[in-house]
């Protein structure tokens, strides 16, 4: 019995399985092309999500930086702490999404 990868969740499943036991993705009755197309579509969806998430993270970092630059809040004030937090979290989030995107592209 050969093993294949579920096109939906990428877990190893039997090639004879009618549906994925992990995510219930239906495999039966689908041709190889159908499954390939579905896999590509899901990858595209995932990468779109990562791109928009990384843009959101970048916007947060830029907004926080702009606030810090324009308002120049007192160090240790809540506004200052929130701005610094926003920059750090935004940048880290951005990098995480970009790295995930890189791995997704490599896998294809
Ligand atoms: Zn699955």
């Amino acid at each position: 019995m050969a093993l294949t990868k579920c096109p939906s969740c990428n877990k190893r499943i039997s090639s004879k399985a009618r549906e994925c036991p992990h995510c219930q993705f239906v495999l039966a009755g689908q041709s190889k092309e159908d499954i390939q197309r579905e896999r590509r579509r899901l990858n595209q969806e995932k990468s779109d999500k990562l791109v928009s998430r990384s843009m959101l993270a970048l916007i947060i970092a830029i907004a926080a930086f702009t606030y810090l630059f324009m308002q120049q809040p007192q160090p240790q004030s809540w506004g200052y702490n929130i701005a610094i937090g926003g920059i750090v979290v935004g940048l880290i989030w951005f990098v995480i999404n970009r790295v995930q995107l890189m791995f997704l592209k490599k896998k294809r």
Side-chain angles (χ1 to χ4, degrees), residues 24-39:
Q24 274 72 50
F25 179 82
V26 178
L27 298 147
Q30 297 215 64
S31 69
K32 247 193 185 127
E33 287 77 37
D34 284 342
I35 290 173
Q36 283 254 301
R37 203 182 310 126
E38 179 68 6
R39 184 180 290 172

Side-chain angles (χ1 to χ4, degrees), residues 8-28:
S8 172
C9 66
N10 258 324
K11 284 183 178 135
R12 281 173 175 278
I13 53 169
S14 158
S15 57
K16 296 238 165 64
R18 294 180 59 81
E19 62 173 44
C20 173
H22 307 288
C23 66
Q24 274 72 50
F25 179 82
V26 178
L27 298 147

Side-chain angles (χ1 to χ4, degrees), residues 21-64:
H22 307 288
C23 66
Q24 274 72 50
F25 179 82
V26 178
L27 298 147
Q30 297 215 64
S31 69
K32 247 193 185 127
E33 287 77 37
D34 284 342
I35 290 173
Q36 283 254 301
R37 203 182 310 126
E38 179 68 6
R39 184 180 290 172
R40 234 175 287 138
R41 193 181 64 78
L42 285 163
N43 262 339
Q44 188 59 45
E45 239 170 51
K46 224 185 271 178
S47 85
D48 287 350
K49 219 181 279 174
L50 285 171
V51 167
S52 56
R53 233 185 277 163
S54 72
M55 292 317 286
L56 183 68
L58 201 59
I59 288 167
I60 290 172
I62 290 169

